[in-house]
């Protein structure tokens, strides 16, 4: 086997292995805190990462609305049972534990002296005075005449000062006004039934949350079929926003990739009129994106959505490398001569681009550093694919077709005319400067990270409506 064929065999074997590695290890990250600056921003980033996996962030709230509060409570209990069967659900709470009263008594009654007063230095001297004790005695006699007398009889001998019942009254007063317990179920001020759940994994864990949310949607659909279409279920939680952001990023990347790919393919087919050259022209791009993705996954374990979107777009400039090479090779009718003519320019252009990206590695923004590393890796890989692989795959003596020749001649004549009429490029330069100067006063620095993420308006409105209904519950 010749050295050229051996090089090609090794290249394609590595390319297949790299593609398999990226496919098996691919994980997309949507954490926008990576685009906060280092220093204090990094401290906040680490704090945000810890909070993302905290128990509070794994919780979701569901509200069920029906024609009557009774129907809403029945549907909520049915929904709770369906959600409990999902493997991602850690627990579901649709109402207080029936043993709650006994549990509260066992936990807090022995510790009642610790909760005797919120201001003991002021209240206890007054309550323990002679007048205060007489008030306590009268209050106890009145309590023994109420329907709840059994509770007071149970604890009066051990708690004659009523410390435990006083704490219960304060606890009841602090309970959110919008939350009621009706027939063992939570109910909001508007009559909607409420239930709460927690997932086993964090809300940003797309691999677990996307299937869970899909299963929850199916459960809600089955609930409507059983209890009527008038049933309405609202949800609140980080999970839905994280999954929606991930899908939005994937859709943007796919849409931009599709449009740019179709445009490049049509242009290459128009100019070179050769499916072979079209396939060869995309090889450096594919190699660059795979190499950059593989390095990112190896170093960080995942790729941020913005890194993939921006980095792949920046690597797209590498389409120039095979295009320049094809033009010179076809014009001279010799692959080696074409490569010799174009290589110094390609090497210099790639080097200046990579140096610019390498300077971004000292940026205070981790996300910007990832984009720089991604783009620099892709550009170097695409450059050397053009240098060492494409010449081995080109036809030995390729010639341009008639259309390519005519296009080249037309462009050459246009450039000559621009050189003869210098007023045209001067006018273009003056026009560009005028536009820049006109827009300069309107330029403003914006470092608001929220602008990097478009919030789903429907999800945000649903969250807001549910939170208004249960305000203060947290």
């Amino acid at each position: 086997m010749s050295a050229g064929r051996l090089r090609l065999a090794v290249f394609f074997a590595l390319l297949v292995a790299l593609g398999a590695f990226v496919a098996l290890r691919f994980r997309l990250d949507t954490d926008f805190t990576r685009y906060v600056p280092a220093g204090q921003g990094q401290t906040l980033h680490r704090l945000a990462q810890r909070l993302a996996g905290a128990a509070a962030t794994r919780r979701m709230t569901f509200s069920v609305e029906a024609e009557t509060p009774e129907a809403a409570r029945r549907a909520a209990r049915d929904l709770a049972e369906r959600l409990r069967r999902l493997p991602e659900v850690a627990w579901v709470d649709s109402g207080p534990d029936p043993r709650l009263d006994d549990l509260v008594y066992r936990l807090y009654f022995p510790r009642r002296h610790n909760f005797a007063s919120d201001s003991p230095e002021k209240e206890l001297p007054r309550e323990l005075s002679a007048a205060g004790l007489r008030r306590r005695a009268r209050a106890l006699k009145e309590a023994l005449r109420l329907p709840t007398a059994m509770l007071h009889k149970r604890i009066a001998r051990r708690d004659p000062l009523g410390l435990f019942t006083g704490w219960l009254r304060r606890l009841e007063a602090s309970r959110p006004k919008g939350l009621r317990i009706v027939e063992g179920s939570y109910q909001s001020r508007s009559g909607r039934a409420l239930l709460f759940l927690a997932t086993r994994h964090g809300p940003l864990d797309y691999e677990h949350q996307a299937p869970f949310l899909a299963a929850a949607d199916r459960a809600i659909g089955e609930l409507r079929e059983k209890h009527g279409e008038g049933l309405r279920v609202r949800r609140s939680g980080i999970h839905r926003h994280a999954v929606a952001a991930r899908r939005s990023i994937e859709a943007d990347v796919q849409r931009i990739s599709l449009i740019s790919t179709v445009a490049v393919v049509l242009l290459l087919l128009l100019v070179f009129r050769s499916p072979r050259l079209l396939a060869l022209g995309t090889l450096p791009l594919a190699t660059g994106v795979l190499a950059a993705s593989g390095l990112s996954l190896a170093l960080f374990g995942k790729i941020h959505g913005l890194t993939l979107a921006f980095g792949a777009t920046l690597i797209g400039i590498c389409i120039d490398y095979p295009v320049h090479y094809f033009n010179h090779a076809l014009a001279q009718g010799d692959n080696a001569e074409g490569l010799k003519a174009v290589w110094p320019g390609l090497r210099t252009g790639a080097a200046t681009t990579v140096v610019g990206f390498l300077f971004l590695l000292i940026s205070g923004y981790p996300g910007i550093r990832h984009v720089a590393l991604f783009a620099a890796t892709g550009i170097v890989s695409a450059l050397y694919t053009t240098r060492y692989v494409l010449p081995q795959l080109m036809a030995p003596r390729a010639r341009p077709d008639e259309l390519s020749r005519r296009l080249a001649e037309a462009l050459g004549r246009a450039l000559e005319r621009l050189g003869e009429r210098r007023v045209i490029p001067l006018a273009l330069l003056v026009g560009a400067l005028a536009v820049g100067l006109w827009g300069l006063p309107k330029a403003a620095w914006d470092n608001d990270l929220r602008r990097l993420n478009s919030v789903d308006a429907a999800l945000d409105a649903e969250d807001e409506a549910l939170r208004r209904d249960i305000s203060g519950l947290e």
Side-chain angles (χ1 to χ4, degrees), residues 163-238:
L163 300 180
F164 181 67
T165 54
W167 174 78
L168 287 178
R169 285 193 294 270
R170 294 198 303 275
L171 182 66
E172 178 66 21
S174 66
R175 186 166 61 88
K177 303 302 181 183
L179 179 65
R180 294 187 297 159
I181 299 174
V182 182
E183 297 179 357
S185 298
Y186 298 127
Q187 185 171 299
S188 72
R189 69 185 76 183
S190 61
R192 297 184 178 95
L194 302 173
L195 60 91
F196 311 92
L197 65 79
T199 56
R200 299 185 186 279
H201 299 86
L204 304 182
D205 190 336
Y206 180 84
E207 286 71 20
H208 290 93
Q209 300 313 321
F212 158 66
L213 292 178
D217 288 338
R218 289 193 296 271
I220 293 172
E222 295 169 358
L223 197 71
R224 289 198 181 100
E225 292 179 1
K226 179 178 178 180
H227 295 272
E229 289 296 327
L231 195 73
R232 183 174 183 183
V233 179
R234 288 192 176 100
R235 286 168 285 177
S236 176
I238 303 174

Side-chain angles (χ1 to χ4, degrees), residues 368-430:
I368 299 298
R369 294 200 296 264
H370 294 178
V371 171
L373 181 64
F374 188 96
T377 303
I379 289 171
V380 172
S381 302
L383 176 69
Y384 281 94
T385 300
T386 303
R387 169 65 178 85
Y388 292 104
V389 177
L390 292 193
Q392 303 293 327
L393 300 173
M394 285 278 287
R397 296 285 179 178
R399 291 288 183 181
D401 63 6
E402 186 64 21
L403 178 61
S404 300
R405 188 181 61 78
R406 289 182 179 179
L407 285 174
E409 291 176 353
L411 290 173
R413 289 193 297 270
L415 288 175
E416 289 178 1
R417 289 172 185 170
L418 284 177
E420 295 170 356
R421 302 176 182 179
R422 297 185 178 180
V423 66
I424 296 178
L426 183 60
L428 293 175
L429 177 61
V430 171

Side-chain angles (χ1 to χ4, degrees), residues 41 80 222 278 321 358 365 449:
E222 295 169 358
L278 171 63
Y321 302 162
L358 291 180
Y365 294 82
L449 292 174

Side-chain angles (χ1 to χ4, degrees), residues 245-257:
R246 164 74 175 262
R247 289 173 175 167
S248 175
I249 289 173
E250 288 180 340
D252 287 343
V253 171
Q254 291 171 1
R255 181 170 56 253
I256 294 171
S257 300

Side-chain angles (χ1 to χ4, degrees), residues 57-348:
T57 63
R58 298 200 301 268
R59 295 179 183 175
M60 293 186 69
T61 303
F62 287 68
S63 77
V64 180
E65 181 181 4
E67 294 180 355
T68 63
E70 294 79 8
R73 291 194 295 271
R74 287 195 301 270
R77 287 192 289 269
D78 190 355
L79 178 60
E81 289 303 317
R82 295 173 187 272
L83 293 175
R84 284 191 182 98
R85 302 188 196 115
L86 302 181
E88 175 59 18
V89 175
W91 53 260
V92 178
D93 182 12
S94 59
D97 192 317
R99 304 168 300 163
L100 180 62
D101 291 342
D102 186 57
L103 293 173
V104 169
Y105 175 80
R106 293 188 181 192
L107 177 63
Y108 287 102
F109 186 78
R111 301 168 177 82
R112 61 191 180 279
H113 299 95
N114 298 334
F115 303 96
S117 170
D118 295 333
S119 302
E121 67 282 356
K122 296 180 180 179
E123 294 180 357
L124 289 184
R126 182 174 65 251
E127 294 297 325
L128 296 177
S129 66
L133 292 176
R134 284 193 293 270
R135 284 196 304 271
R136 289 277 185 172
R138 287 194 298 269
L140 179 58
K141 291 175 64 175
E142 291 294 329
L144 292 175
R145 298 191 183 101
L146 298 175
T148 57
M150 290 300 297
L151 171 64
H152 295 281
K153 288 179 180 179
R154 178 184 178 185
I155 64 176
R157 291 180 180 274
R158 299 177 60 192
D159 186 25
L161 296 177
L163 300 180
F164 181 67
T165 54
W167 174 78
L168 287 178
R169 285 193 294 270
R170 294 198 303 275
L171 182 66
E172 178 66 21
S174 66
R175 186 166 61 88
K177 303 302 181 183
L179 179 65
R180 294 187 297 159
I181 299 174
V182 182
E183 297 179 357
S185 298
Y186 298 127
Q187 185 171 299
S188 72
R189 69 185 76 183
S190 61
R192 297 184 178 95
L194 302 173
L195 60 91
F196 311 92
L197 65 79
T199 56
R200 299 185 186 279
H201 299 86
L204 304 182
D205 190 336
Y206 180 84
E207 286 71 20
H208 290 93
Q209 300 313 321
F212 158 66
L213 292 178
D217 288 338
R218 289 193 296 271
I220 293 172
E222 295 169 358
L223 197 71
R224 289 198 181 100
E225 292 179 1
K226 179 178 178 180
H227 295 272
E229 289 296 327
L231 195 73
R232 183 174 183 183
V233 179
R234 288 192 176 100
R235 286 168 285 177
S236 176
I238 303 174
H239 310 65
R240 302 173 74 201
H241 291 282
V243 170
R246 164 74 175 262
R247 289 173 175 167
S248 175
I249 289 173
E250 288 180 340
D252 287 343
V253 171
Q254 291 171 1
R255 181 170 56 253
I256 294 171
S257 300
L258 178 62
I259 294 173
S260 60
T261 300
V262 170
V264 169
V265 166
L266 292 177
L267 184 59
L268 290 179
L269 284 177
L270 174 66
V271 174
F272 296 117
R273 311 290 291 274
S274 170
R276 179 187 180 88
L277 292 184
L278 171 63
L280 294 180
T282 59
L283 184 59
L285 292 181
T287 305
V289 172
L290 277 178
S293 300
L295 182 62
S296 297
L297 292 172
L299 292 179
F300 310 115
K302 51 190 173 182
I303 304 176
H304 196 281
L306 291 179
T307 299
L308 185 60
F310 293 158
T313 302
L314 294 170
I315 294 174
I317 66 173
C318 299
I319 192 64
D320 292 347
Y321 302 162
V323 168
H324 286 309
Y325 168 59
F326 293 159
N327 280 324
H328 283 77
L330 292 174
Q332 300 190 31
D334 186 277
N335 291 341
E337 290 300 320
L339 183 62
K340 182 179 179 181
V342 78
W343 175 244
L346 296 184
R347 182 178 55 199
T348 302

Side-chain angles (χ1 to χ4, degrees), residues 8-24 283 286-287 290-291:
L8 285 179
V10 172
F11 169 79
F12 282 109
L14 290 175
L15 195 63
V16 170
L18 185 59
F21 174 79
V22 171
L24 293 174
L283 184 59
T287 305
L290 277 178

